[in-house]
Amino acid sequence: MAKTDTSSPTTTRSAPGGKGVKTTRRQNAEKGFVASKQLDEKLQAVLVDLLELQMQGKQAHWNVVGRNFRDTHRQLDDIIAAAREFSDTVAERMRALHAVPDGRSDTVADTTTLPEYPQGEIDTSETVDLITVRLEATVATIRGVHDDVDEEDPTSADILHSIIEKLEQFAWMVSAENRSPANRT
């Protein structure tokens, strides 16, 4: 059994929720690039919207009904899996930059830019529109922070590029369910 070194100095800092976070002298022993507060905040904004997209996607997945149910249900599975993967990538990037991601439910609920998802069964056609809005809102958050992130950390911006590409593809594919062909002239 490993012993805890109680002789090393620790500091306590206040965190949302009233609990102090204790750090040890080894916690930040790694060398390398350290995110500024602004970079941390911008990546945190992306993280919470991706987490909220995942949760709202699940809400939609459980409660979608109507025509094309199976296809919509499966498409939501793909979006949920991607949002989960993207949120993990962003959170792990934050940790690599010595930032501390906050994915707690109260933090996500208080800071997301996504509109609240309606309760109850939702028709497939309305689900398509609701999910498209949420995909586009998540992309807007990422695009809104992208240039500042790129200026400080091009590697993090590259991660954001790949997320934008996939979420925009999802938005196009999902929204196509409710579209009619454009008039040809």
Side-chain angles (χ1 to χ4, degrees):
M1 187 163 119
K3 287 183 144 185
T4 303
D5 180 6
T6 57
S7 64
S8 64
T10 60
T11 59
T12 303
R13 63 180 187 169
S14 181
K19 303 281 183 183
V21 176
K22 294 191 181 207
T23 58
T24 66
R25 62 185 170 93
R26 295 204 33 88
Q27 182 175 357
N28 293 317
E30 303 92 355
K31 303 293 183 212
F33 182 78
V34 176
S36 69
K37 182 178 184 211
Q38 292 78 19
L39 178 59
D40 177 17
E41 290 170 352
K42 290 180 183 346
L43 292 176
Q44 177 68 28
V46 171
L47 176 63
V48 297
D49 277 3
L50 289 168
L51 291 169
E52 184 67 10
L53 178 62
Q54 176 187 336
M55 292 305 299
Q56 289 195 24
K58 262 313 193 190
Q59 181 69 18
H61 172 86
W62 294 324
N63 293 295
V64 64
V65 295
R67 299 190 77 186
N68 297 321
F69 162 81
R70 186 176 170 99
D71 289 339
T72 305
H73 193 76
R74 286 183 168 181
Q75 215 169 19
L76 289 167
D77 271 337
D78 293 342
I79 293 167
I80 294 159
R84 182 174 38 248
E85 180 182 334
F86 296 151
S87 63
D88 193 51
T89 299
V90 169
E92 288 180 355
R93 180 64 185 160
M94 291 174 73
R95 291 302 298 148
L97 301 178
H98 309 286
V100 180
D102 187 353
R104 295 173 301 151
S105 59
D106 59 335
T107 300
V108 174
D110 289 345
T111 60
T112 186
T113 65
L114 275 60
E116 184 177 344
Y117 200 83
Q119 168 64 357
E121 291 183 337
I122 309 284
D123 178 78
T124 52
S125 181
E126 186 179 355
T127 297
V128 163
D129 291 340
L130 289 167
I131 291 301
T132 300
V133 165
R134 280 137 184 90
L135 286 163
E136 291 172 347
T138 306
V139 168
T141 295
I142 300 169
R143 285 187 174 280
V145 302
H146 175 272
D147 290 350
D148 291 335
V149 170
D150 191 37
E151 189 174 308
E152 183 172 343
D153 181 30
T155 303
S156 292
D158 287 347
I159 291 168
L160 299 182
H161 284 144
S162 64
I163 295 171
I164 289 169
E165 176 189 13
K166 191 64 177 174
L167 292 182
E168 287 180 337
Q169 182 182 35
F170 279 131
W172 160 62
M173 294 178 95
V174 170
S175 68
E177 293 284 335
N178 286 348
R179 291 198 54 227
S180 297
N183 291 334
R184 294 182 188 191
T185 56

